[in-house]
């Protein structure tokens, strides 16, 4: 929160006061506050000068059970269209409990020597997570979790996923990647990826020993879990910048495989967003900063663990603090209109409001700029954020390629047969058609 406030204040933005009522421009809200804003009972109507940092139903991608459901639905859509579905081999085999218990039990019996990980659908920071390798463990837990339940609230649901038992290790320790993605729109889809990514390491060396199956310091990379270990290093916070990891990978696996991994990660992010695009309410006043958690196996294949709607902005080290500050700064560059990023600000806002004196009167009661009018072409770069996917540009490129193909086909010589001669059409002006004895068979 401190880094948020400093970022806002450095722009000359002013904190919202109750006397301002609905006169605000940017609201960095919690998911709960967002739910209240967009609820049918709130009667809130956002103006063209207002932005909020969550989409109304952001949970379609950030709840583990809904994200899995949307990926499965998207896979079926691609299958119906005859398109390649291998791009969606990004989520380990997953079932939602209690509803899919029978399917899970069947899959377990088919592969009995597999370890599975259970997670609450709507919790974060490693809370409520545990591993199992026996079906009897699940039965016992199931009986205590939902004793005699006929209907279970969705907030109480769990997901059970095949555990990645062959993670890529560095120094014998398991890690995952935290990547930041800023989505400005879902229809059309427009997403940016930050270079401010890092790896989060476990404090204990990885082992598949059954005795350590419940050792969170071996299996869970969440900082909220690892910081309670007596081996936690407060200097680096068990984190490694992505550039350091890439250097390690290039040294040990080569440039080609490292680049392929990074391309696969980009594809994973884009297809996850596409999987939820159809069901996401695309309010033009919304943007989202997602925290993607991805694990890499020893074949350098990325797997999606989860997507966070409110990635932690608190810092554990000086380097972490600098990273989070820049992340917030670049996110605001990405989503807020350019004229807001001057220090000559007048006005008020919730959390912060900004009226540039160059484009509006200095009075706080003056009408704020209508920055949602029009859709200028997206910039390729906003600080650490690079344009990852722009649906409009993709559509324009596909249209351009299709027109080029049509033009090439129309320019090709066209054979026609008549009797025992073959002639070529599409000749240069002023030249006679060429004819040849014999026939041309199609």
């Amino acid at each position: 929160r401190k880094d948020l406030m400093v970022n806002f204040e450095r722009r000359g933005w002013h904190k919202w006061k109750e006397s301002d009522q609905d006169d605000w421009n940017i609201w960095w809200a919690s998911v709960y506050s967002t739910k209240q804003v967009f609820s049918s009972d709130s009667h809130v109507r956002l103006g063209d000068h207002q932005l909020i940092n969550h989409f109304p139903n952001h949970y379609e991608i950030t709840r583990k059970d809904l994200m899995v459901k949307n990926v499965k639905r998207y896979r079926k859509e691609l299958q119906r269209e005859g398109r390649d579905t291998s791009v969606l081999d990004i989520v380990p085999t997953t079932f939602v409990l209690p509803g899919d218990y029978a399917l899970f039990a069947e899959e377990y019996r088919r592969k009995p020597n597999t370890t599975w990980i259970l997670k609450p659908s709507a919790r974060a920071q490693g809370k409520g997570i545990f591993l199992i390798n026996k079906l009897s463990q699940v039965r016992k837990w199931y009986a205590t979790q939902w004793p005699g339940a006929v209907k279970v609230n969705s907030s109480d649901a769990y997901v059970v996923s095949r555990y990645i038992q062959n993670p890529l290790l560095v120094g014998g320790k398991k890690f995952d990647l935290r990547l930041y993605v800023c989505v400005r729109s879902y229809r059309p889809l427009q997403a940016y990826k930050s270079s401010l990514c890092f790896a989060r390491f476990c404090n204990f060396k990885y082992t598949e020993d059954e005795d350590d199956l419940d050792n969170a310091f071996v299996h869970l990379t969440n900082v909220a879990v690892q910081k309670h270990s007596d081996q936690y290093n407060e200097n680096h916070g068990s984190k490694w910048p992505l550039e350091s990891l890439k250097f390690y990978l290039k040294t040990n696996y080569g440039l080609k495989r490292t680049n392929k991994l990074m391309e696969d990660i980009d594809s994973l992010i884009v297809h996850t967003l596409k999987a939820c695009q159809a069901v996401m309410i695309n309010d033009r006043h919304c943007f989202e900063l997602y925290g993607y958690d991805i694990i890499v196996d020893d074949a350098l294949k990325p797997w999606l663990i989860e997507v966070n709607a409110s990635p932690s902005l608190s810092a554990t080290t000086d380097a972490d603090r600098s990273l989070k500050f820049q992340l917030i700064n670049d996110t605001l560059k990405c989503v807020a209109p350019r004229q807001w990023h001057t220090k000559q600000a007048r006005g008020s806002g919730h959390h912060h409001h900004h009226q540039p004196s160059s484009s509006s009167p200095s009075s706080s009661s003056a009408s704020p700029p209508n920055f949602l009018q029009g859709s200028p072409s997206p910039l390729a770069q906003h600080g650490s954020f690079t344009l990852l996917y722009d649906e409009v540009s993709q559509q324009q490129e596909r249209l351009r390629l299709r027109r080029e193909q049509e033009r090439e086909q129309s320019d090709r010589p066209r054979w026609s047969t008549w009797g025992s001669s073959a002639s070529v059409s599409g000749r240069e002006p002023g030249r006679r058609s060429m004819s040849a004895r014999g026939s041309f068979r199609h």
Side-chain angles (χ1 to χ4, degrees):
R1 182 177 175 81
K2 181 180 178 181
D3 288 336
L4 274 171
M5 300 297 289
V6 172
N7 259 290
F8 295 152
E9 289 166 357
R10 284 191 178 184
R11 286 173 164 78
W13 298 358
H14 301 278
K15 188 175 182 180
W16 176 86
K17 302 183 296 294
E18 288 189 16
S19 59
D20 294 324
Q21 297 180 350
D22 291 333
D23 186 19
W24 55 269
N25 289 114
I26 289 185
W27 188 352
W28 199 282
S30 66
V31 292
Y32 176 78
S33 297
T34 304
K35 182 179 179 180
Q36 300 304 309
V37 168
F38 290 107
S39 82
S40 56
D41 299 328
S42 71
H43 304 295
V44 173
R45 184 179 179 85
L46 298 180
D48 286 345
H49 60 286
Q50 295 176 318
L51 283 174
I52 190 167
N53 65 318
H54 292 296
F55 286 90
N57 59 335
H58 58 84
Y59 45 80
E60 291 287 351
I61 191 171
T62 58
R63 272 187 61 113
K64 302 174 187 69
D65 54 343
L66 296 180
M67 184 266 291
V68 169
K69 181 189 74 172
N70 287 321
V71 169
K72 289 180 179 179
R73 177 186 48 76
Y74 184 50
R75 180 187 292 275
K76 291 179 181 178
E77 288 178 7
L78 295 186
Q79 287 174 338
R80 284 196 298 269
E81 297 170 3
R83 295 164 62 187
D84 180 21
T85 59
S86 63
V87 294
L88 292 178
D89 188 21
I90 54 178
V91 180
T93 303
T94 300
F95 303 94
V96 180
L97 300 180
D100 293 341
Y101 178 79
L103 294 173
F104 162 66
E106 182 181 342
E107 179 68 17
Y108 180 89
R109 294 187 184 100
R110 201 166 63 87
K111 297 179 180 179
N113 297 319
T114 303
T115 300
W116 296 79
I117 184 167
L118 284 87
K119 306 175 184 179
S121 291
R123 300 182 72 181
Q125 299 183 327
K127 296 174 183 176
I129 297 177
F130 62 97
L131 278 66
I132 62 99
N133 60 0
K134 293 183 176 65
L135 193 57
S136 59
Q137 295 170 311
V138 182
R139 289 198 196 100
K140 183 177 179 181
W141 168 81
Y142 187 103
T144 57
Q145 182 75 14
W146 300 294
V150 177
K151 186 176 181 180
V152 177
N153 292 330
S154 61
S155 59
D156 296 328
Y158 266 68
V159 294
V160 54
S161 303
R162 180 179 60 81
Y163 185 60
I164 304 298
Q165 293 179 258
N166 61 325
L168 179 65
L169 305 178
V170 175
K173 295 180 180 179
K174 178 183 173 181
F175 69 92
D176 74 354
L177 296 175
R178 164 55 63 88
L179 300 99
Y180 296 102
V181 176
C182 180
V183 174
R184 295 176 60 177
S185 166
Y186 268 97
R187 283 188 297 279
L189 181 60
Q190 188 181 107
Y192 287 79
K193 188 184 77 170
S194 175
S195 61
L196 301 175
C197 312
F198 52 87
R200 306 181 299 183
F201 284 84
C202 291
N203 288 306
F204 285 71
K205 289 193 174 182
Y206 180 76
T207 175
E208 292 185 61
D209 194 324
E210 191 169 335
D211 293 337
D212 281 317
L213 206 60
D214 59 352
N215 188 341
F217 300 137
V218 170
H219 297 285
L220 304 184
T221 58
N222 308 73
V223 175
V225 173
Q226 294 296 329
K227 68 181 181 181
H228 297 294
S229 166
D230 55 8
Q231 295 190 23
Y232 178 73
N233 189 315
E234 294 184 354
N235 293 323
H236 55 64
S238 299
K239 295 177 181 178
W240 215 12
L242 180 62
E243 289 305 312
S244 298
L245 178 65
K246 287 169 69 175
F247 179 79
Y248 170 86
L249 293 173
K250 291 173 185 177
T251 302
N252 290 274
Y253 297 92
L255 178 63
K256 185 176 180 180
R257 292 190 68 188
T258 302
N259 288 343
K260 176 65 166 55
L261 171 61
M262 296 302 127
E263 291 170 2
D264 289 345
I265 288 174
D266 288 350
S267 175
L268 179 155
I269 293 170
V270 170
H271 283 289
T272 309
L273 295 172
K274 284 186 173 182
C276 301
Q277 184 181 20
V279 295
M280 196 68 70
I281 299 173
N282 186 60
D283 193 298
R284 64 198 181 112
H285 303 91
C286 302
F287 67 94
E288 197 90 44
L289 176 64
Y290 292 120
Y292 269 73
D293 292 342
I294 295 171
I295 193 168
V296 180
D297 66 21
D298 58 10
L300 296 194
K301 175 176 174 55
W303 296 93
L304 178 62
I305 301 175
E306 64 180 332
V307 183
N308 298 275
S310 299
S312 173
L313 297 177
S314 59
T316 54
T317 66
D318 289 341
D320 201 31
R321 186 171 296 105
S322 176
L323 182 147
K324 299 292 175 60
F325 180 87
Q326 186 178 346
L327 176 69
I328 298 166
N329 183 59
D330 295 343
T331 301
L332 294 174
K333 283 182 181 179
C334 198
V335 301
R338 296 179 196 173
Q339 66 267 31
W340 286 19
H341 300 291
T342 62
K343 194 102 186 233
Q344 294 74 36
R346 298 294 298 269
S348 59
H350 180 193
H351 257 83
H352 288 76
H353 165 98
H354 179 70
Q355 288 184 355
S357 56
S358 60
S359 61
S360 64
S362 60
S363 169
S364 62
S365 61
S367 5
N370 183 347
F371 63 83
L372 293 179
Q373 290 291 335
S375 301
S377 299
L379 296 177
Q381 197 86 25
H382 287 283
S384 65
F385 281 101
T386 302
L387 184 62
L388 177 63
Y389 187 85
D390 179 55
E391 190 170 19
V392 173
S393 299
Q394 292 284 330
Q395 292 171 344
Q396 291 173 343
E397 178 64 12
R398 285 195 294 269
L399 180 61
R400 185 187 67 80
L401 291 174
R402 186 163 63 247
R403 286 175 175 171
E404 280 189 3
Q405 291 173 351
E406 292 172 351
R407 193 179 304 114
E408 288 176 2
Q409 291 174 356
S410 65
D411 290 341
R412 289 175 185 168
R414 295 186 296 278
W415 288 91
S416 63
T417 60
W418 186 263
S420 60
S421 65
S423 61
V424 182
S425 62
R427 59 185 182 275
E428 295 179 13
R431 295 190 61 179
R432 295 181 180 180
S433 62
M434 300 175 62
S435 63
R437 302 292 295 175
S439 62
F440 177 81
R441 291 187 176 87
H442 290 283

